[in-house]
Amino acid sequence: MADLSDRSLTVALLLSFGLGFVSGWQANRLRRQFLDWRRRRLQDKLKETEKKLDLA
C-alpha cells in the first residue's frame, strides 16, 4: 500500500464527505417531490370518490 501524505488524505476525506452530503441532499429533494406528487394524486382520487358518492 502506498504511503499517503496527510494533505492527500485530508483532501480525500473532505471530497468524500462533500459528495456524500450533496448526494444525500439530492436524494431528500427527490423523496420530497415524490411524496408531494403522491399526496396530490391521492387527494385528487379522494375528490373523485366523494363526487361519485354524492351522485349516488
Side-chain angles (χ1 to χ4, degrees):
M1 188 171 166
D3 290 332
L4 293 175
S5 67
D6 288 341
R7 184 176 181 89
S8 63
L9 187 60
T10 303
V11 169
L13 283 173
L14 288 175
L15 184 63
S16 175
F17 176 78
L19 288 174
F21 179 82
V22 169
S23 63
W25 177 51
Q26 291 296 323
N28 191 40
R29 282 185 63 221
L30 288 173
R31 181 178 166 270
R32 279 267 149 239
Q33 288 177 355
F34 168 73
L35 291 175
D36 289 343
W37 169 80
R38 189 173 67 172
R39 180 180 47 83
R40 282 193 311 270
R41 184 176 59 94
L42 290 174
Q43 285 178 343
D44 291 344
K45 282 187 174 185
L46 179 62
K47 286 179 187 175
E48 289 177 12
T49 304
E50 286 175 343
K51 280 184 185 179
K52 287 179 185 177
L53 288 174
D54 287 343
L55 292 176

